Amino acid sequence: MSIKFERIGVLPELVDYQEAWDLQRRIHEEVTLGQAGPTVLLLEHEEVYTAGRRTEPEDRPIDGTPVVDVDRGGKLTWHGPGQLVGYPIVRLLDMKGIREYVAILEEALINTAAAFGVQTTRIRGRSGVWIQGINGAQDRKLAAIGIRVDHGVTMHGFALNCSNELTPYAQIIPCGITDAGVTSLSEEAGTTITPADVLDRVEQELEALLSPAVILTATTLEGAQR
């Protein structure tokens, strides 16, 4: 069994955050119980701010905009139209391989950006995918990663800025980082690149990079731990 990719909503069909979170939890339970194999949800959300477990009060929007508190790692971020969000729900082969799993997600997005002519990198001490600033310019974050692993099965995932407006980030401190900016594929490439444009490439990269690190068949938790 290979990884199952489900495109559950891209423009003009945006997905409510709570609806996607409920779906994640249902699939997570099925994978945990050995009733389903690895699944990746791909979508665009209706506009929303979400706060991970490390969010501080001062990170929240200064205008009182509502925030959804979630059980992933990381701090505050924004989701909305023009941003491709991916939720891999997979059982890791190595229960201690969380750092390697995050690196796989980063590599898949780095390769995807390169396919559209945008060169990105990792920044030491920071998760996600970045454009490194030169000549005194700030580093710019292209993709955020925030995950949770429960019983060896992942939830939440990544958000890749494609063609979204960047103004919502001005209301917050994205991911709690004060000394860097935010960007998008369209901003860096100088042409419009939508989530729909990158879906095929993201799936290809995740299939190739993620498959060796996850259990590809439905299996019970006890079986996975032997």
Side-chain angles (χ1 to χ4, degrees):
M1 180 188 299
S2 61
I3 297 173
K4 178 182 179 182
F5 292 92
E6 292 189 18
R7 302 179 181 185
I8 65 171
V10 295
L11 276 172
E13 299 177 4
L14 301 175
V15 182
D16 173 75
Y17 187 85
Q18 187 65 53
E19 176 185 336
W21 194 10
D22 290 343
L23 178 59
Q24 277 193 81
R25 286 184 285 200
R26 178 175 63 77
I27 297 173
H28 184 276
E29 182 178 13
E30 292 172 352
V31 174
T32 299
L33 294 175
Q35 299 170 350
T39 301
V40 178
L41 304 177
L42 295 166
L43 61 138
E44 288 178 70
H45 275 304
E46 296 176 357
E47 192 163 359
V48 65
Y49 290 108
T50 68
R53 292 189 299 261
R54 295 195 302 110
T55 302
E56 302 292 341
E58 59 268 24
D59 296 330
R60 294 176 182 266
I62 56 177
D63 64 351
T65 301
V67 174
V68 177
D69 291 285
V70 295
D71 56 357
R72 61 166 170 77
K75 292 196 171 189
L76 190 73
T77 194
W78 173 89
H79 300 304
Q83 181 191 74
L84 179 65
V85 175
Y87 296 131
I89 307 167
V90 300
R91 184 187 301 284
L92 300 178
L93 272 174
D94 181 356
M95 299 297 183
K96 299 179 181 178
I98 297 174
R99 183 171 298 180
E100 290 77 8
Y101 169 69
V102 170
I104 286 170
L105 298 185
E106 291 171 342
E107 188 69 18
L109 299 178
I110 288 170
N111 293 348
T112 297
F116 289 86
V118 178
Q119 300 305 309
T120 59
T121 188
R122 296 180 177 91
I123 299 291
R124 185 177 178 87
R126 294 174 170 173
S127 67
V129 175
W130 295 81
I131 307 291
Q132 194 157 31
I134 58 174
N135 299 325
Q138 285 189 328
D139 299 331
R140 305 181 298 284
K141 194 169 194 175
L142 179 69
I145 293 176
I147 67 166
R148 180 188 178 203
V149 181
D150 183 25
H151 290 85
V153 178
T154 65
M155 282 185 69
H156 302 289
F158 63 84
L160 174 64
N161 290 338
C162 296
S163 54
N164 52 290
E165 294 290 333
L166 300 179
T167 51
Y169 292 105
Q171 302 275 2
I172 63 172
I173 302 174
C175 304
I177 297 171
T178 59
D179 60 344
V182 181
T183 191
S184 68
L185 283 175
S186 297
E187 182 77 13
E188 298 298 327
T191 188
T192 301
I193 302 171
T194 69
D197 294 330
V198 304
L199 275 169
D200 287 345
R201 187 58 184 242
V202 167
E203 289 185 4
Q204 292 168 13
E205 294 294 339
L206 288 173
E207 180 76 39
L209 295 169
L210 197 54
S211 293
V214 305
I215 296 175
L216 293 176
T217 57
T219 180
T220 64
L221 179 61
E222 290 77 15
Q225 290 179 329
R226 289 193 188 109

